[in-house]
Amino acid sequence: MGNRQEILLTGAGGQGLILASIVMAAAAVDDNKNVVQTQSYGPEARGGASMSGVILDVDTIEYPKVTKPTVLLCMNQASFNKYLPKVGPDCIIIVDSTFVSGSYGEEYKVQSFPITSSAKEVLGKEVVANMLALGVLNAASGLIDREIFRESIFKFAPRGSGELNQKAFDLGYSLYEKGAGQKNGVSAQTPQ
Amino acid sequence: MPETKPVLMQGNEACALGAINAGVRFYAGYPITPSTEVAEQMAARLPEIGGVFIQMEDEIASMAAVIGASIGGMRTLTATSGPGFSLKQENLGYAIMAEIPCVVVNVQRMGPSTGVPTAPAQGDVMQARWGTHGDHPIIVFTPASVYESYYLTIAAVNLSQKLRQPVIVLLDEVIGHMREKVTIPEGKLMVEKSSDKVPSDWKPYDEKGLTPLVPFGFGHYYHVTGLFHDQYGFPTGDPPQVERALDRLHNKLEKYRDEIVLTNYIGHKEPRVAIVTYGCTVRSARAVVKKAYWQNRLPVGLLSLQTVWPFPAKEIEALAKQADVIIVPEMNMGQLVGEVERYARGEAKVVPLNRYDGEMISPDQISEEVGRWL
């Protein structure tokens, strides 16, 4: 069962991470993968910590919870501090440098991108940061077919905002292609 | 055959869709985490197809409304969680006694009382059996996946109609809230109206056995009561009639046992260690058996229970003859394990494995316990 991929999307309630996980899971279904999506419920959904997980596998998925993330997205400092110690050295870690900074152990593969600030500055809408994050995440991990993912985003976007959300997703790809780190914002490797 | 496309669906959503596809057109309920999505789906879908959705003032009234709609000839559903399920018990007992079909969904959360509303648990297994007073029969299904949530709800609606017996779909927070890939078969389900086959000498509670429910307003008048009643529905305290009436309630489930009691076995043909479980815990157990048996050929098996009540006694008896040890993982302090022990009849050692901190039992936990007995 080496094909099991566990993606953990973490951040603050309101950043749209649960929706992002649903969009991703739906894209995975369209991409003919087995998928399970779970999320943390409760007061978290209203401003506290938010966490949602997506599991992909070619095999059937039994245990539905994320235990060893292979991809971790951290959209705020608290979630970065909380989840970084829980992942292994092989985990792809994507952080939003808009909110996350500080030092961490060298064993981690952390890639930092100005996700929210780019959404705001380039697209003028902070609200599409979640879809932009998915673009970065999928570019970095190559888990789901890009076109299928884009279609899924269009389907889930509120009426009239499909293209904007797709643009955000594509911007995520170009951020990733430009490369992580210093030139794209505050590097998480810079101790503050 | 039209091609059926897989979709991403949530357990609660699948439950609502199953109900609608099985002909449910009336929902009365009071929203409560983690069952609210069932109500949301019904509220969104029922009005479009000529159904009725009512948000009632509480769970007691919801249950009453569902019973009323059933006597009026509709297929009905209500959904709730622990605290609301407690409130439904009195009217649930009434529906059992008066033989009014209905389906009650209980998406279990961590209790007692209001507990931890968003945390999963399997603490209502005994409440589902004995929550309402008296020696009543009950059918309880425990889905372990989004697809099972869909088809067991369909089975619940149909059995409930056929047997004039309330059926409980006992989901848990994990299955209710998770989304996974499912393929819902295309096409229309056969929804048979029981009142279409009414014999000319129809009696509402015929002593000879199962009779279809003829809804009010369809040519027959009868009395409906929670009191023990004769075959016309009128109260009686006559000992032989009382005994016969209670036997009748139980016998109808006994007669259709094979349609009601659903279990599934995977693993070694002659297991030394067997796991018996239900609901979301099946998933952890299946991960263990996949590894232990499919990969490593260890004598391990899993009997998963889609039906917990009536209890699959025969299946447990047979399993106990094969296995040396039966492990019963449950997200409670040990509820169904007592029943497993009862029907293992000393032929196998029955070991409980419990977790009650609001988290799922992990495959590692089960694996460790299995390893101890191999």
Side-chain angles (χ1 to χ4, degrees):
Chain A
M1 276 157 271
N3 292 310
R4 185 172 166 119
Q5 296 286 331
E6 302 191 342
I7 302 101
L8 204 55
L9 311 180
T10 68
Q15 284 184 307
L17 292 169
I18 289 177
L19 177 62
S21 73
I22 295 170
V23 170
M24 183 176 192
V29 169
D30 292 341
D31 200 16
N32 287 322
K33 290 176 165 68
N34 285 318
V35 60
V36 169
Q37 179 271 347
T38 58
Q39 65 204 61
S40 62
Y41 272 83
E44 296 95 329
R46 297 170 194 102
S50 165
M51 187 273 278
S52 55
V54 177
I55 299 172
L56 307 175
D57 206 333
V58 289
D59 203 349
T60 51
I61 298 163
E62 306 300 347
Y63 189 60
K65 302 276 176 178
V66 171
T67 46
K68 285 198 183 74
T70 49
V71 181
L72 172 69
L73 169 72
C74 299
M75 293 282 282
N76 73 355
Q77 190 71 47
S79 63
F80 182 67
N81 298 345
K82 184 176 171 188
Y83 290 101
L84 189 69
K86 297 185 180 171
V87 303
D90 292 333
C91 179
I92 299 169
I93 303 156
I94 313 259
V95 301
D96 184 353
S97 60
T98 319
F99 302 113
V100 183
S101 60
S103 59
Y104 53 86
E106 279 190 4
E107 68 272 30
Y108 297 113
K109 280 195 267 181
V110 178
Q111 304 176 63
S112 169
F113 302 91
I115 294 170
T116 306
S117 52
S118 301
K120 204 168 169 181
E121 285 156 21
V122 182
L123 301 168
K125 291 263 186 199
E126 202 176 320
V127 70
V128 294
N130 56 348
M131 295 301 124
L132 199 154
L134 286 181
V136 176
L137 191 153
N138 204 50
S141 62
L143 287 171
I144 295 165
D145 182 271
R146 182 174 175 172
E147 272 315 302
I148 292 173
F149 212 141
R150 289 183 91 247
E151 280 165 31
S152 173
I153 287 172
F154 194 87
K155 268 189 271 177
F156 276 87
R159 196 175 299 169
S161 72
E163 273 156 28
L164 174 68
N165 279 283
Q166 285 179 326
K167 231 184 248 175
F169 181 73
D170 291 338
L171 182 58
Y173 263 82
S174 42
L175 277 189
Y176 180 78
E177 279 150 17
K178 266 192 245 165
Q182 206 69 49
K183 64 181 175 184
N184 279 324
V186 183
S187 168
Q189 271 170 310
T190 314
Q192 301 267 310
Chain B
M1 281 282 283
E3 200 180 321
T4 305
K5 206 170 162 286
V7 288
L8 185 74
M9 196 176 281
Q10 196 184 35
N12 282 342
E13 193 184 345
C15 174
L17 184 65
I20 286 172
N21 286 357
V24 168
R25 291 295 179 271
F26 183 91
Y27 181 101
Y30 189 83
I32 178 171
T33 302
S35 76
T36 307
E37 293 83 1
V38 181
E40 280 175 359
Q41 286 297 321
M42 294 309 256
R45 291 169 188 235
L46 279 178
E48 291 172 0
I49 51 174
V52 177
F53 172 92
I54 308 180
Q55 181 169 324
M56 299 297 291
E57 67 268 35
D58 61 26
E59 288 87 349
I60 300 173
S62 313
M63 195 64 215
V66 155
I67 291 170
S70 270
I71 304 178
M74 290 183 107
R75 294 191 167 206
T76 60
L77 184 86
T78 183
T80 188
S81 183
F85 193 50
S86 294
L87 290 174
K88 288 186 195 289
Q89 294 301 329
E90 186 188 356
N91 280 331
L92 181 63
Y94 180 87
I96 295 167
M97 188 63 161
E99 296 182 62
I100 299 158
C102 55
V103 176
V104 180
V105 179
N106 175 16
V107 188
Q108 295 170 93
R109 67 190 215 184
M110 186 80 201
S113 189
T114 33
V116 186
T118 55
Q122 299 178 310
D124 304 350
V125 175
M126 282 297 168
Q127 187 193 20
R129 178 64 194 89
W130 293 116
T132 193
H133 57 275
D135 260 327
H136 56 279
I138 194 80
I139 299 171
V140 181
F141 290 134
T142 44
S145 68
V146 172
Y147 188 66
E148 278 188 15
S149 175
Y150 173 76
Y151 87 71
L152 287 175
T153 305
I154 293 177
V157 174
N158 288 332
L159 274 172
S160 154
Q161 290 291 322
K162 179 169 168 176
L163 303 179
R164 290 178 58 184
Q165 160 72 39
V167 179
I168 292 161
V169 179
L170 195 62
L171 276 161
D172 49 61
E173 190 274 341
V174 175
I175 305 299
H177 273 166
M178 67 181 240
R179 289 178 178 83
E180 68 181 338
K181 183 171 97 171
V182 286
T183 309
I184 303 293
E186 287 272 349
K188 213 169 145 40
L189 284 170
M190 295 279 288
V191 177
E192 219 174 64
K193 265 197 195 140
S194 51
S195 53
D196 289 347
K197 312 173 286 191
V198 180
S200 53
D201 60 341
W202 183 83
K203 301 183 196 75
Y205 302 99
D206 201 323
E207 278 182 353
K208 277 182 271 170
L210 222 52
T211 51
L213 178 83
V214 178
F216 278 1
F218 284 79
H220 290 270
Y221 56 94
Y222 53 99
H223 193 244
V224 179
T225 175
L227 292 166
F228 271 96
H229 41 264
D230 61 20
Q231 37 184 355
Y232 300 97
F234 290 103
T236 175
D238 173 40
Q241 280 205 56
V242 167
E243 190 180 319
R244 271 209 305 278
L246 193 54
D247 279 340
R248 225 185 114 260
L249 287 184
H250 287 265
N251 288 347
K252 60 182 182 182
L253 267 67
E254 193 52 47
K255 193 175 166 199
Y256 290 93
R257 185 206 182 268
D258 291 345
E259 274 180 51
I260 300 168
V261 179
L262 308 171
T263 63
N264 180 31
Y265 182 83
I266 58 163
H268 199 281
K269 268 188 186 159
E270 289 167 357
R272 268 193 15 233
V273 178
I275 305 162
V276 172
T277 193
Y278 52 89
C280 69
T281 314
V282 166
R283 303 183 75 102
S284 306
R286 217 154 39 200
V288 171
V289 173
K290 262 186 175 177
K291 210 167 169 190
Y293 176 66
W294 292 2
Q295 283 182 24
N296 300 325
R297 295 285 145 188
L298 294 168
V300 177
L302 163 68
L303 181 72
S304 55
L305 314 179
Q306 283 79 54
T307 308
V308 289
W309 305 112
F311 188 71
K314 273 202 295 200
E315 288 78 359
I316 296 295
E317 274 177 357
L319 186 68
K321 288 197 177 106
Q322 298 282 349
D324 299 336
V325 178
I326 297 177
I327 299 167
V328 187
E330 294 180 88
M331 284 158 66
N332 54 43
M333 297 181 84
Q335 296 197 7
L336 210 64
V337 65
E339 220 60 22
V340 174
E341 196 157 22
R342 183 172 162 196
Y343 291 101
R345 302 195 197 282
E347 300 254 12
K349 186 177 171 56
V350 177
V351 182
L353 175 61
N354 304 110
R355 182 163 187 173
Y356 39 88
D357 61 351
E359 297 279 347
M360 262 187 96
I361 295 178
S362 70
D364 288 351
Q365 268 180 284
I366 299 175
S367 201
E368 198 180 300
E369 190 64 42
V370 168
R372 202 167 289 156
W373 299 100
L374 271 177

